[in-house]
Amino acid sequence: MGEGVEWAAHACVVLVWAGGDPVSATRLAAYYRLPPAYLNKQLQALARAGLVTSLPGPRGGFRLARSPERITLWEVVAAIEGGGETFHCTEIRARAGGAVRDRRFGSPCSIAVAMHEAERTWRAELAGWTIADFVAAAEREAPGAPGRVRAWLETAER
Amino acid sequence: MGEGVEWAAHACVVLVWAGGDPVSATRLAAYYRLPPAYLNKQLQALARAGLVTSLPGPRGGFRLARSPERITLWEVVAAIEGGGETFHCTEIRARAGGAVRDRRFGSPCSIAVAMHEAERTWRAELAGWTIADFVAAAEREAPGAPGRVRAWLETAER
DNA sequence: GTAACTGTACTCGGATATTCCATGTCCGAGTAGGGTTGG
DNA sequence: CCAACCCTACTCGGACATGGAATATCCGAGTACAGTTAC
C-alpha cells in the first residue's frame, strides 16, 4: 500500500483542526515536512473523490467537503489507491489443458470468491472508522493539539 | 496484489489432484499456459515457506508438504507476497511542525491502528479458507476434473 | 546373468534482464487582493 | 475622495521525469534412470 494514504488521512485531520478555513497544499506539506507537489497530487485525488473541495487563487486551498463523521477511512483509501479490487482474477482455469477450450464456467472461481470476500470485510472494517475518530484519538493523546495546529497555520500564514 | 498468488493457489489445487506424486514446474506451467521459469519462482517461494516440498532430478518436482485442509489461503498469500503489513506507518505526526521535536508518543497512531486492525481481519478471513475448500468447490463445479487433470499429467508425462 | 559404471536428460535453485507503476517534480490556467491612476 | 483598472503573488490542476519493485528469463548444481560394459 502506498504511503500517500497515510499522508491523505493525516491531512484530513489537520483540515478538521483548521476549522473550515482553506489550507493550501504547500502549507500542509510544510507542516508535515512532505514534498509539496506530491502532497498536492494526493489532495487532488481526494478532491476528485469528493472528500475535499478545492479553492484556487490566493487565500485558496483545500477544506473538507463534509463533516469528519461522514468521511470514512475506506473512502480515503479508495480515493488514493483506487476503489477497484486489489485481487484481479484472470480465470486461468479456463486455460487449463484438460478443460474444454471455450467452456463457460457457471459459478466464479472459488479462489476469487475467497479473495473478494476477504477484501469485502477489509473494506467494511475500514469503513467503520471515520476522520472524526482519528481527531478524537489525537486530541485525547495531545489535548493542546488543535490550538497548536491552528496557531502554527496562522503564524505561517502570509 | 501480484498475480503470482493466483498461480500459486491454483497450482496447489492441481498438486492435490496429482495425489502426492511430484509435479514439475514445467508440467504445471504447460497445464495453465504460464511462463515456466516464473511459475518455478513462485513455487520456490512456496517451498521456502514450507507449504510444498521440492524434489530435484528426473521424476522430481513439487508436492504439498501437508494435507490440503492444513494449508490456508493466507499462508499462500504470505508465502508469495510476504507476510509483513502492507500498511507501514512512518509516524509523520512526529515530524509535525507544532509538535515537540523529540516527543515520544505513548500510544501508537490511531490511523495505523485502524489499518492494522482491518488487515488483521483480512488475514483472518483468508486463513478461514483452505486448499481443500477450493478442491471441493472445483470438484462440485466439474466432477470429472480430478481424473482429467491426472490423465493430462500422465499423458504429458515423458 | 549380474553388478558396477558412465552418460544423459531432467529437475530445482538462484543470479540476471526488462517492464510497469508508484514516487517525485515541474510548469501553465486562473483568481483574489492590493496598489496605482485618472476623474 | 472615489472608482476603475492593472499587476503581482499565490492557488489548484494536470503534464512530465525518475526509481524501485514486480514480471519474466536464463544458466548452473545436483539427481535418478537407462544403457553399457566388465566379470
Side-chain angles (χ1 to χ4, degrees), chain A residues 1 5-6 9-10 31-33 86 90-92 95-98 101 106-107 110-111 114-115 117-118 122 125-126 129 134 141 148, chain B residues 1 5-6 9-10 31-33 86 90-92 95-98 101 106-107 109-111 114-115 118 122 125-126 129 134 141 148:
Chain A
M1 170 164 307
V5 173
E6 185 183 9
H10 280 273
Y31 182 72
Y32 280 128
R33 311 274 174 80
T86 67
T90 61
E91 284 290 348
I92 76 174
R95 309 171 56 184
R101 275 298 165 276
S107 49
S110 61
I111 294 172
M115 288 291 193
E117 195 64 23
W122 176 67
E125 188 81 16
L126 290 181
W129 298 82
F134 305 134
E141 171 82 8
R148 275 206 310 274
Chain B
M1 170 168 306
V5 172
E6 183 184 9
H10 280 273
Y31 181 72
Y32 279 128
R33 312 275 174 78
T86 66
T90 61
E91 283 290 348
I92 76 175
R95 310 171 56 185
R101 275 297 165 278
S107 48
C109 176
S110 60
I111 293 173
M115 288 291 194
W122 175 69
E125 188 81 15
L126 289 182
W129 297 83
F134 305 134
E141 171 83 6
R148 277 205 310 273

Short mmCIF file of all heavy atoms in Angstrom, two decimals, chain A residues 1 5-6 9-10 31-33 86 90-92 95-98 101 106-107 110-111 114-115 117-118 122 125-126 129 134 141 148, chain B residues 1 5-6 9-10 31-33 86 90-92 95-98 101 106-107 109-111 114-115 118 122 125-126 129 134 141 148:
data_model
loop_
_atom_site.label_atom_id
_atom_site.label_comp_id
_atom_site.label_asym_id
_atom_site.label_seq_id
_atom_site.Cartn_x
_atom_site.Cartn_y
_atom_site.Cartn_z
N MET A 1 0.84 -1.21 0.00
CA MET A 1 0.00 0.00 0.00
C MET A 1 0.87 1.25 0.00
O MET A 1 1.85 1.33 0.74
CB MET A 1 -0.88 0.00 1.25
CG MET A 1 -1.59 1.33 1.45
SD MET A 1 -2.93 1.21 2.61
CE MET A 1 -3.86 -0.14 1.94
N VAL A 5 -1.64 7.26 1.20
CA VAL A 5 -2.83 7.09 2.03
C VAL A 5 -2.62 7.68 3.41
O VAL A 5 -3.47 8.40 3.94
CB VAL A 5 -3.19 5.59 2.14
CG1 VAL A 5 -4.31 5.38 3.14
CG2 VAL A 5 -3.58 5.04 0.78
N GLU A 6 -1.47 7.38 3.99
CA GLU A 6 -1.17 7.92 5.32
C GLU A 6 -1.16 9.45 5.28
O GLU A 6 -1.75 10.10 6.15
CB GLU A 6 0.20 7.39 5.78
CG GLU A 6 0.56 7.80 7.19
CD GLU A 6 1.95 7.33 7.58
OE1 GLU A 6 2.69 6.84 6.69
OE2 GLU A 6 2.32 7.47 8.75
N ALA A 9 -4.78 10.82 5.02
CA ALA A 9 -5.55 10.70 6.25
C ALA A 9 -5.14 11.76 7.26
O ALA A 9 -5.99 12.45 7.86
CB ALA A 9 -5.37 9.29 6.84
N HIS A 10 -3.84 11.91 7.46
CA HIS A 10 -3.36 12.93 8.40
C HIS A 10 -3.75 14.33 7.92
O HIS A 10 -4.09 15.21 8.74
CB HIS A 10 -1.84 12.82 8.57
CG HIS A 10 -1.40 11.73 9.49
ND1 HIS A 10 -1.30 11.92 10.85
CD2 HIS A 10 -1.07 10.44 9.26
CE1 HIS A 10 -0.89 10.79 11.41
NE2 HIS A 10 -0.75 9.87 10.47
N TYR A 31 3.93 21.70 7.09
CA TYR A 31 3.61 21.26 8.44
C TYR A 31 4.16 19.86 8.72
O TYR A 31 4.71 19.59 9.78
CB TYR A 31 2.10 21.27 8.65
CG TYR A 31 1.68 20.86 10.04
CD1 TYR A 31 1.89 21.70 11.12
CD2 TYR A 31 1.10 19.62 10.27
CE1 TYR A 31 1.53 21.33 12.40
CE2 TYR A 31 0.73 19.24 11.54
CZ TYR A 31 0.94 20.09 12.60
OH TYR A 31 0.59 19.71 13.86
N TYR A 32 4.04 18.97 7.75
CA TYR A 32 4.48 17.58 7.94
C TYR A 32 5.83 17.29 7.30
O TYR A 32 6.26 16.13 7.26
CB TYR A 32 3.43 16.61 7.38
CG TYR A 32 2.26 16.38 8.31
CD1 TYR A 32 0.95 16.52 7.87
CD2 TYR A 32 2.48 15.99 9.62
CE1 TYR A 32 -0.12 16.30 8.73
CE2 TYR A 32 1.42 15.77 10.48
CZ TYR A 32 0.13 15.92 10.02
OH TYR A 32 -0.92 15.69 10.87
N ARG A 33 6.49 18.33 6.75
CA ARG A 33 7.79 18.14 6.10
C ARG A 33 7.67 17.13 4.95
O ARG A 33 8.43 16.15 4.89
CB ARG A 33 8.84 17.62 7.10
CG ARG A 33 8.89 18.40 8.39
CD ARG A 33 9.79 19.60 8.28
NE ARG A 33 9.71 20.41 9.50
CZ ARG A 33 10.36 20.11 10.63
NH1 ARG A 33 11.12 19.06 10.68
NH2 ARG A 33 10.24 20.91 11.68
N THR A 86 -8.16 -5.30 -5.30
CA THR A 86 -6.72 -5.44 -5.43
C THR A 86 -6.36 -6.80 -6.04
O THR A 86 -5.34 -6.93 -6.69
CB THR A 86 -6.03 -5.31 -4.06
OG1 THR A 86 -6.41 -6.43 -3.27
CG2 THR A 86 -6.47 -4.03 -3.37
N THR A 90 -7.77 -13.76 -13.19
CA THR A 90 -7.52 -13.84 -14.64
C THR A 90 -8.13 -15.09 -15.26
O THR A 90 -7.89 -15.39 -16.43
CB THR A 90 -6.01 -13.82 -14.92
OG1 THR A 90 -5.41 -14.95 -14.29
CG2 THR A 90 -5.37 -12.54 -14.40
N GLU A 91 -8.89 -15.84 -14.44
CA GLU A 91 -9.57 -17.03 -14.95
C GLU A 91 -8.61 -18.00 -15.63
O GLU A 91 -8.83 -18.43 -16.76
CB GLU A 91 -10.68 -16.63 -15.92
CG GLU A 91 -11.92 -16.08 -15.28
CD GLU A 91 -12.72 -17.13 -14.51
OE1 GLU A 91 -12.41 -18.34 -14.69
OE2 GLU A 91 -13.61 -16.76 -13.74
N ILE A 92 -7.56 -18.33 -14.93
CA ILE A 92 -6.58 -19.22 -15.55
C ILE A 92 -7.12 -20.65 -15.66
O ILE A 92 -6.62 -21.43 -16.45
CB ILE A 92 -5.25 -19.22 -14.76
CG1 ILE A 92 -5.35 -20.03 -13.48
CG2 ILE A 92 -4.79 -17.81 -14.48
CD1 ILE A 92 -4.03 -20.15 -12.78
N ARG A 95 -7.96 -21.71 -19.05
CA ARG A 95 -6.87 -22.02 -19.97
C ARG A 95 -6.23 -23.36 -19.61
O ARG A 95 -5.19 -23.72 -20.17
CB ARG A 95 -5.83 -20.92 -19.90
CG ARG A 95 -6.42 -19.54 -20.07
CD ARG A 95 -5.41 -18.45 -19.80
NE ARG A 95 -4.22 -18.59 -20.64
CZ ARG A 95 -3.16 -17.84 -20.56
NH1 ARG A 95 -3.11 -16.87 -19.66
NH2 ARG A 95 -2.12 -18.02 -21.35
N ALA A 96 -6.82 -24.08 -18.68
CA ALA A 96 -6.25 -25.35 -18.27
C ALA A 96 -6.25 -26.34 -19.44
O ALA A 96 -7.18 -26.37 -20.24
CB ALA A 96 -7.02 -25.93 -17.10
N GLY A 97 -5.18 -27.15 -19.52
CA GLY A 97 -5.05 -28.08 -20.63
C GLY A 97 -6.16 -29.10 -20.69
O GLY A 97 -6.65 -29.45 -21.76
N GLY A 98 -6.59 -29.58 -19.53
CA GLY A 98 -7.60 -30.61 -19.52
C GLY A 98 -9.01 -30.09 -19.70
O GLY A 98 -9.94 -30.84 -19.98
N ARG A 101 -12.01 -26.10 -24.21
CA ARG A 101 -11.45 -24.81 -24.60
C ARG A 101 -12.33 -23.61 -24.26
O ARG A 101 -11.96 -22.74 -23.49
CB ARG A 101 -11.15 -24.80 -26.10
CG ARG A 101 -9.83 -25.39 -26.47
CD ARG A 101 -8.68 -24.63 -25.85
NE ARG A 101 -7.45 -25.44 -25.93
CZ ARG A 101 -7.14 -26.36 -25.06
NH1 ARG A 101 -7.93 -26.60 -24.01
NH2 ARG A 101 -6.03 -27.06 -25.17
N GLY A 106 -20.09 -21.64 -14.91
CA GLY A 106 -21.29 -21.05 -14.32
C GLY A 106 -20.96 -20.22 -13.10
O GLY A 106 -21.24 -19.02 -13.05
N SER A 107 -20.33 -20.82 -12.12
CA SER A 107 -20.01 -20.07 -10.91
C SER A 107 -18.58 -19.55 -11.00
O SER A 107 -17.74 -20.16 -11.64
CB SER A 107 -20.17 -20.98 -9.69
OG SER A 107 -19.49 -22.20 -9.91
N SER A 110 -13.64 -20.21 -7.14
CA SER A 110 -13.78 -20.15 -5.68
C SER A 110 -12.63 -19.40 -5.03
O SER A 110 -12.81 -18.79 -3.98
CB SER A 110 -13.87 -21.57 -5.13
OG SER A 110 -12.69 -22.30 -5.42
N ILE A 111 -11.47 -19.44 -5.64
CA ILE A 111 -10.34 -18.69 -5.08
C ILE A 111 -10.62 -17.20 -5.15
O ILE A 111 -10.41 -16.46 -4.19
CB ILE A 111 -9.04 -19.05 -5.84
CG1 ILE A 111 -8.68 -20.50 -5.57
CG2 ILE A 111 -7.91 -18.12 -5.43
CD1 ILE A 111 -7.52 -21.01 -6.41
N ALA A 114 -13.10 -16.24 -2.48
CA ALA A 114 -12.48 -16.11 -1.16
C ALA A 114 -11.73 -14.79 -1.04
O ALA A 114 -11.86 -14.06 -0.05
CB ALA A 114 -11.53 -17.28 -0.91
N MET A 115 -10.97 -14.47 -2.06
CA MET A 115 -10.21 -13.22 -2.05
C MET A 115 -11.15 -12.01 -1.93
O MET A 115 -10.92 -11.11 -1.12
CB MET A 115 -9.40 -13.10 -3.35
CG MET A 115 -8.22 -14.05 -3.41
SD MET A 115 -6.93 -13.63 -2.22
CE MET A 115 -5.60 -14.67 -2.82
N GLU A 117 -14.17 -11.92 -0.85
CA GLU A 117 -14.85 -11.91 0.45
C GLU A 117 -13.95 -11.30 1.52
O GLU A 117 -14.39 -10.47 2.32
CB GLU A 117 -15.23 -13.35 0.82
CG GLU A 117 -16.24 -13.43 1.95
CD GLU A 117 -17.58 -12.83 1.58
OE1 GLU A 117 -17.88 -12.73 0.35
OE2 GLU A 117 -18.32 -12.44 2.48
N ALA A 118 -12.68 -11.70 1.50
CA ALA A 118 -11.74 -11.16 2.47
C ALA A 118 -11.58 -9.66 2.28
O ALA A 118 -11.54 -8.88 3.25
CB ALA A 118 -10.38 -11.86 2.34
N TRP A 122 -12.41 -6.43 4.75
CA TRP A 122 -11.37 -5.41 4.95
C TRP A 122 -11.94 -4.02 4.71
O TRP A 122 -11.79 -3.11 5.53
CB TRP A 122 -10.21 -5.69 4.00
CG TRP A 122 -9.11 -4.68 4.02
CD1 TRP A 122 -8.25 -4.42 5.03
CD2 TRP A 122 -8.77 -3.79 2.96
NE1 TRP A 122 -7.38 -3.42 4.66
CE2 TRP A 122 -7.67 -3.02 3.40
CE3 TRP A 122 -9.26 -3.56 1.66
CZ2 TRP A 122 -7.08 -2.05 2.60
CZ3 TRP A 122 -8.67 -2.60 0.87
CH2 TRP A 122 -7.60 -1.86 1.34
N GLU A 125 -14.30 -3.03 7.45
CA GLU A 125 -13.58 -2.62 8.66
C GLU A 125 -13.07 -1.19 8.53
O GLU A 125 -13.21 -0.37 9.44
CB GLU A 125 -12.41 -3.58 8.91
CG GLU A 125 -11.71 -3.36 10.23
CD GLU A 125 -12.46 -4.02 11.38
OE1 GLU A 125 -13.34 -4.87 11.11
OE2 GLU A 125 -12.18 -3.69 12.53
N LEU A 126 -12.50 -0.89 7.36
CA LEU A 126 -12.00 0.46 7.12
C LEU A 126 -13.15 1.47 7.16
O LEU A 126 -13.00 2.59 7.67
CB LEU A 126 -11.29 0.54 5.77
CG LEU A 126 -9.95 -0.16 5.67
CD1 LEU A 126 -9.35 0.04 4.28
CD2 LEU A 126 -8.99 0.32 6.72
N TRP A 129 -14.27 3.20 10.46
CA TRP A 129 -13.51 4.30 11.08
C TRP A 129 -13.76 5.57 10.29
O TRP A 129 -13.81 5.55 9.07
CB TRP A 129 -12.01 4.00 11.10
CG TRP A 129 -11.63 2.81 11.90
CD1 TRP A 129 -11.68 1.50 11.52
CD2 TRP A 129 -11.14 2.80 13.24
NE1 TRP A 129 -11.25 0.68 12.52
CE2 TRP A 129 -10.91 1.45 13.59
CE3 TRP A 129 -10.87 3.80 14.18
CZ2 TRP A 129 -10.42 1.07 14.84
CZ3 TRP A 129 -10.37 3.42 15.42
CH2 TRP A 129 -10.17 2.07 15.74
N PHE A 134 -10.20 9.66 14.40
CA PHE A 134 -8.77 9.97 14.49
C PHE A 134 -8.55 11.32 15.16
O PHE A 134 -7.61 11.50 15.92
CB PHE A 134 -8.14 9.94 13.10
CG PHE A 134 -8.38 8.65 12.37
CD1 PHE A 134 -8.80 8.63 11.05
CD2 PHE A 134 -8.23 7.43 13.03
CE1 PHE A 134 -9.03 7.44 10.39
CE2 PHE A 134 -8.46 6.23 12.37
CZ PHE A 134 -8.87 6.25 11.05
N GLU A 141 -4.91 12.09 23.04
CA GLU A 141 -3.47 11.88 23.26
C GLU A 141 -2.77 13.19 23.56
O GLU A 141 -1.91 13.26 24.44
CB GLU A 141 -2.86 11.22 22.00
CG GLU A 141 -1.34 11.14 21.99
CD GLU A 141 -0.86 9.93 22.77
OE1 GLU A 141 -1.71 9.10 23.18
OE2 GLU A 141 0.34 9.82 22.97
N ARG A 148 -2.61 24.30 18.95
CA ARG A 148 -1.25 24.44 18.43
C ARG A 148 -1.23 24.42 16.90
O ARG A 148 -0.56 25.24 16.27
CB ARG A 148 -0.38 23.30 18.95
CG ARG A 148 0.23 23.55 20.33
CD ARG A 148 1.52 22.76 20.52
NE ARG A 148 1.35 21.34 20.16
CZ ARG A 148 0.90 20.41 20.99
NH1 ARG A 148 0.57 20.74 22.21
NH2 ARG A 148 0.81 19.17 20.60
N MET B 1 -2.25 -6.39 -5.71
CA MET B 1 -1.74 -7.73 -5.38
C MET B 1 -1.23 -8.43 -6.63
O MET B 1 -1.85 -8.38 -7.67
CB MET B 1 -2.87 -8.56 -4.75
CG MET B 1 -2.50 -10.02 -4.60
SD MET B 1 -3.63 -10.90 -3.58
CE MET B 1 -3.60 -9.90 -2.11
N VAL B 5 0.06 -14.92 -6.78
CA VAL B 5 -0.77 -15.55 -5.75
C VAL B 5 -1.81 -16.46 -6.39
O VAL B 5 -2.01 -17.60 -5.97
CB VAL B 5 -1.45 -14.47 -4.89
CG1 VAL B 5 -2.46 -15.11 -3.94
CG2 VAL B 5 -0.42 -13.68 -4.10
N GLU B 6 -2.44 -15.96 -7.44
CA GLU B 6 -3.45 -16.76 -8.11
C GLU B 6 -2.82 -18.02 -8.69
O GLU B 6 -3.36 -19.13 -8.54
CB GLU B 6 -4.09 -15.92 -9.23
CG GLU B 6 -5.22 -16.64 -9.95
CD GLU B 6 -5.76 -15.81 -11.11
OE1 GLU B 6 -5.14 -14.77 -11.44
OE2 GLU B 6 -6.79 -16.21 -11.69
N ALA B 9 -2.03 -20.55 -5.87
CA ALA B 9 -3.21 -21.21 -5.29
C ALA B 9 -3.73 -22.30 -6.24
O ALA B 9 -4.01 -23.42 -5.81
CB ALA B 9 -4.31 -20.18 -5.01
N HIS B 10 -3.84 -21.96 -7.51
CA HIS B 10 -4.30 -22.96 -8.48
C HIS B 10 -3.32 -24.13 -8.57
O HIS B 10 -3.73 -25.29 -8.72
CB HIS B 10 -4.48 -22.31 -9.85
CG HIS B 10 -5.76 -21.54 -9.98
ND1 HIS B 10 -6.94 -22.14 -10.37
CD2 HIS B 10 -6.05 -20.23 -9.78
CE1 HIS B 10 -7.91 -21.22 -10.41
NE2 HIS B 10 -7.39 -20.05 -10.06
N TYR B 31 0.33 -26.87 -18.22
CA TYR B 31 -1.09 -27.11 -17.98
C TYR B 31 -1.89 -25.81 -18.01
O TYR B 31 -2.97 -25.74 -18.58
CB TYR B 31 -1.27 -27.81 -16.63
CG TYR B 31 -2.71 -28.12 -16.32
CD1 TYR B 31 -3.39 -29.14 -17.00
CD2 TYR B 31 -3.42 -27.41 -15.36
CE1 TYR B 31 -4.71 -29.42 -16.73
CE2 TYR B 31 -4.74 -27.69 -15.08
CZ TYR B 31 -5.38 -28.70 -15.77
OH TYR B 31 -6.70 -28.97 -15.50
N TYR B 32 -1.36 -24.77 -17.39
CA TYR B 32 -2.08 -23.49 -17.31
C TYR B 32 -1.60 -22.47 -18.33
O TYR B 32 -2.02 -21.31 -18.27
CB TYR B 32 -1.94 -22.90 -15.90
CG TYR B 32 -2.89 -23.49 -14.90
CD1 TYR B 32 -2.43 -23.99 -13.68
CD2 TYR B 32 -4.25 -23.54 -15.15
CE1 TYR B 32 -3.31 -24.53 -12.75
CE2 TYR B 32 -5.13 -24.08 -14.23
CZ TYR B 32 -4.66 -24.57 -13.04
OH TYR B 32 -5.53 -25.10 -12.12
N ARG B 33 -0.69 -22.87 -19.25
CA ARG B 33 -0.17 -21.94 -20.25
C ARG B 33 0.48 -20.74 -19.58
O ARG B 33 0.16 -19.59 -19.90
CB ARG B 33 -1.29 -21.45 -21.18
CG ARG B 33 -2.17 -22.56 -21.74
CD ARG B 33 -1.57 -23.18 -22.97
NE ARG B 33 -2.37 -24.33 -23.38
CZ ARG B 33 -3.54 -24.24 -24.04
NH1 ARG B 33 -4.03 -23.07 -24.34
NH2 ARG B 33 -4.19 -25.33 -24.39
N THR B 86 0.98 -4.60 4.95
CA THR B 86 1.03 -3.85 3.70
C THR B 86 1.03 -2.35 3.97
O THR B 86 1.55 -1.57 3.18
CB THR B 86 -0.17 -4.19 2.81
OG1 THR B 86 -1.35 -3.72 3.45
CG2 THR B 86 -0.27 -5.69 2.61
N THR B 90 4.72 5.58 9.01
CA THR B 90 6.00 6.30 9.04
C THR B 90 6.05 7.34 10.15
O THR B 90 7.00 8.12 10.20
CB THR B 90 6.26 6.98 7.69
OG1 THR B 90 5.22 7.93 7.44
CG2 THR B 90 6.28 5.97 6.57
N GLU B 91 5.00 7.36 10.98
CA GLU B 91 4.97 8.28 12.13
C GLU B 91 5.20 9.73 11.70
O GLU B 91 6.06 10.43 12.23
CB GLU B 91 6.03 7.89 13.15
CG GLU B 91 5.66 6.69 13.99
CD GLU B 91 4.54 6.99 14.99
OE1 GLU B 91 4.22 8.17 15.18
OE2 GLU B 91 3.98 6.02 15.56
N ILE B 92 4.41 10.17 10.75
CA ILE B 92 4.61 11.54 10.27
C ILE B 92 4.15 12.56 11.30
O ILE B 92 4.54 13.72 11.24
CB ILE B 92 3.89 11.78 8.93
CG1 ILE B 92 2.39 11.95 9.12
CG2 ILE B 92 4.17 10.66 7.96
CD1 ILE B 92 1.69 12.32 7.85
N ARG B 95 6.80 14.41 13.00
CA ARG B 95 7.50 15.44 12.26
C ARG B 95 6.64 16.68 12.09
O ARG B 95 6.98 17.60 11.35
CB ARG B 95 7.91 14.90 10.89
CG ARG B 95 8.62 13.57 10.97
CD ARG B 95 8.81 12.96 9.60
NE ARG B 95 9.51 13.87 8.68
CZ ARG B 95 9.71 13.62 7.40
NH1 ARG B 95 9.24 12.50 6.88
NH2 ARG B 95 10.35 14.47 6.63
N ALA B 96 5.50 16.70 12.76
CA ALA B 96 4.60 17.84 12.62
C ALA B 96 5.26 19.10 13.17
O ALA B 96 6.00 19.05 14.16
CB ALA B 96 3.30 17.57 13.34
N GLY B 97 4.99 20.24 12.51
CA GLY B 97 5.64 21.49 12.89
C GLY B 97 5.29 21.93 14.30
O GLY B 97 6.13 22.41 15.04
N GLY B 98 4.04 21.72 14.69
CA GLY B 98 3.62 22.19 16.00
C GLY B 98 4.00 21.26 17.13
O GLY B 98 3.95 21.63 18.29
N ARG B 101 9.73 18.38 19.21
CA ARG B 101 10.63 17.68 18.29
C ARG B 101 10.80 16.19 18.59
O ARG B 101 10.44 15.34 17.79
CB ARG B 101 12.00 18.35 18.30
CG ARG B 101 12.10 19.53 17.36
CD ARG B 101 11.89 19.09 15.91
NE ARG B 101 11.64 20.26 15.07
CZ ARG B 101 10.45 20.84 14.97
NH1 ARG B 101 9.40 20.36 15.62
NH2 ARG B 101 10.28 21.89 14.20
N GLY B 106 3.05 8.00 23.45
CA GLY B 106 2.75 6.82 24.25
C GLY B 106 2.00 5.77 23.46
O GLY B 106 2.46 4.65 23.31
N SER B 107 0.85 6.14 22.94
CA SER B 107 0.05 5.19 22.17
C SER B 107 0.37 5.35 20.69
O SER B 107 0.73 6.43 20.24
CB SER B 107 -1.42 5.45 22.44
OG SER B 107 -1.72 6.82 22.31
N CYS B 109 -0.15 5.62 16.59
CA CYS B 109 -1.02 6.44 15.77
C CYS B 109 -2.33 5.72 15.52
O CYS B 109 -2.34 4.55 15.11
CB CYS B 109 -0.32 6.76 14.46
SG CYS B 109 -1.33 7.68 13.28
N SER B 110 -3.44 6.40 15.76
CA SER B 110 -4.74 5.75 15.63
C SER B 110 -5.04 5.33 14.20
O SER B 110 -5.75 4.35 13.97
CB SER B 110 -5.84 6.69 16.14
OG SER B 110 -5.85 7.89 15.37
N ILE B 111 -4.50 6.05 13.26
CA ILE B 111 -4.70 5.66 11.85
C ILE B 111 -4.02 4.33 11.58
O ILE B 111 -4.60 3.44 10.95
CB ILE B 111 -4.15 6.76 10.92
CG1 ILE B 111 -4.98 8.03 11.06
CG2 ILE B 111 -4.15 6.28 9.47
CD1 ILE B 111 -4.43 9.22 10.32
N ALA B 114 -6.06 1.54 13.06
CA ALA B 114 -7.21 1.18 12.23
C ALA B 114 -6.78 0.33 11.05
O ALA B 114 -7.39 -0.70 10.74
CB ALA B 114 -7.92 2.45 11.75
N MET B 115 -5.71 0.74 10.40
CA MET B 115 -5.22 -0.01 9.24
C MET B 115 -4.84 -1.43 9.62
O MET B 115 -5.21 -2.39 8.96
CB MET B 115 -3.99 0.72 8.65
CG MET B 115 -4.34 2.01 7.94
SD MET B 115 -5.25 1.70 6.41
CE MET B 115 -5.13 3.33 5.64
N ALA B 118 -7.83 -3.58 10.37
CA ALA B 118 -8.50 -4.03 9.14
C ALA B 118 -7.71 -5.15 8.47
O ALA B 118 -8.28 -6.14 8.00
CB ALA B 118 -8.67 -2.85 8.18
N TRP B 122 -8.66 -9.10 7.62
CA TRP B 122 -8.44 -9.60 6.26
C TRP B 122 -7.66 -10.92 6.31
O TRP B 122 -8.05 -11.91 5.69
CB TRP B 122 -7.69 -8.54 5.46
CG TRP B 122 -7.29 -8.95 4.08
CD1 TRP B 122 -8.12 -9.17 3.02
CD2 TRP B 122 -5.96 -9.17 3.60
NE1 TRP B 122 -7.39 -9.51 1.92
CE2 TRP B 122 -6.06 -9.52 2.25
CE3 TRP B 122 -4.69 -9.10 4.18
CZ2 TRP B 122 -4.94 -9.80 1.47
CZ3 TRP B 122 -3.59 -9.37 3.41
CH2 TRP B 122 -3.71 -9.72 2.07
N GLU B 125 -9.75 -13.70 7.66
CA GLU B 125 -10.70 -14.20 6.66
C GLU B 125 -9.99 -15.14 5.68
O GLU B 125 -10.50 -16.21 5.35
CB GLU B 125 -11.32 -13.01 5.91
CG GLU B 125 -12.44 -13.39 4.98
CD GLU B 125 -13.75 -13.56 5.73
OE1 GLU B 125 -13.84 -13.12 6.89
OE2 GLU B 125 -14.68 -14.15 5.14
N LEU B 126 -8.81 -14.72 5.25
CA LEU B 126 -8.05 -15.56 4.31
C LEU B 126 -7.67 -16.89 4.98
O LEU B 126 -7.69 -17.94 4.34
CB LEU B 126 -6.79 -14.84 3.85
CG LEU B 126 -6.99 -13.66 2.89
CD1 LEU B 126 -5.64 -13.09 2.49
CD2 LEU B 126 -7.77 -14.09 1.66
N TRP B 129 -10.02 -19.98 4.84
CA TRP B 129 -10.15 -20.82 3.64
C TRP B 129 -8.92 -21.71 3.50
O TRP B 129 -7.80 -21.27 3.74
CB TRP B 129 -10.29 -19.96 2.38
CG TRP B 129 -11.51 -19.10 2.35
CD1 TRP B 129 -11.67 -17.89 2.95
CD2 TRP B 129 -12.74 -19.39 1.69
NE1 TRP B 129 -12.93 -17.40 2.69
CE2 TRP B 129 -13.60 -18.30 1.93
CE3 TRP B 129 -13.20 -20.45 0.92
CZ2 TRP B 129 -14.90 -18.25 1.42
CZ3 TRP B 129 -14.48 -20.39 0.41
CH2 TRP B 129 -15.32 -19.32 0.67
N PHE B 134 -11.10 -25.18 -1.93
CA PHE B 134 -11.07 -24.89 -3.36
C PHE B 134 -11.14 -26.17 -4.18
O PHE B 134 -11.78 -26.23 -5.24
CB PHE B 134 -9.80 -24.11 -3.71
CG PHE B 134 -9.65 -22.86 -2.89
CD1 PHE B 134 -8.43 -22.54 -2.30
CD2 PHE B 134 -10.73 -22.00 -2.68
CE1 PHE B 134 -8.30 -21.39 -1.54
CE2 PHE B 134 -10.60 -20.86 -1.90
CZ PHE B 134 -9.37 -20.55 -1.34
N GLU B 141 -18.11 -28.17 -9.05
CA GLU B 141 -18.39 -27.48 -10.32
C GLU B 141 -18.15 -28.40 -11.51
O GLU B 141 -18.93 -28.42 -12.45
CB GLU B 141 -17.50 -26.22 -10.42
CG GLU B 141 -17.53 -25.54 -11.77
CD GLU B 141 -18.72 -24.61 -11.88
OE1 GLU B 141 -19.43 -24.42 -10.87
OE2 GLU B 141 -18.96 -24.07 -12.97
N ARG B 148 -9.52 -35.99 -15.07
CA ARG B 148 -9.00 -35.36 -16.29
C ARG B 148 -7.60 -34.79 -16.06
O ARG B 148 -6.70 -34.97 -16.87
CB ARG B 148 -9.94 -34.25 -16.75
CG ARG B 148 -11.12 -34.73 -17.57
CD ARG B 148 -11.64 -33.61 -18.48
NE ARG B 148 -11.86 -32.36 -17.77
CZ ARG B 148 -12.99 -32.05 -17.14
NH1 ARG B 148 -13.99 -32.90 -17.14
NH2 ARG B 148 -13.12 -30.91 -16.50
#
